[in-house]
Amino acid sequence: MVRASDLADLPVNEKLQLVTELWDQIAAVRQIPVLPDWVDDEADRRLEKMHRDASTCMTEEELWRRVDDSR
């Protein structure tokens, strides 16, 4: 197994390449991962925040504008 300390000195572009390869492998398996409870808790917290005050969120159009602008 690779330890985080083994990756600490890698340049950012190599780290991003590793992340991309890992995501591609995860997607290819088509297996639903078991996520820790804190992931659901965080999603619930964010959803509640959005329902309380939608102005704290961006619209889908704003999201894609930011994505496009960053290219």
Side-chain angles (χ1 to χ4, degrees):
M1 166 149 302
V2 177
R3 293 183 306 265
S5 59
D6 296 332
L7 304 173
D9 293 332
L10 287 177
V12 172
N13 61 329
E14 289 183 34
K15 290 177 183 177
L16 288 172
Q17 181 61 41
L18 285 171
V19 169
T20 301
E21 290 176 22
L22 287 170
W23 274 118
D24 290 347
Q25 289 178 17
I26 291 169
V29 173
R30 299 281 184 202
Q31 178 181 353
I32 297 173
V34 177
L35 299 174
D37 290 339
W38 70 264
V39 173
D40 284 333
D41 295 343
E42 180 64 11
D44 291 342
R45 184 190 69 75
R46 291 179 185 200
L47 185 61
E48 288 174 21
K49 181 180 177 184
M50 181 187 75
H51 287 302
R52 278 195 314 270
D53 185 3
S55 70
T56 64
C57 305
M58 69 178 84
T59 63
E60 182 178 356
E61 292 79 18
E62 174 67 9
L63 168 81
W64 288 115
R65 186 190 63 73
R66 289 184 184 198
V67 169
D68 291 339
D69 287 351
S70 69
R71 293 182 186 180

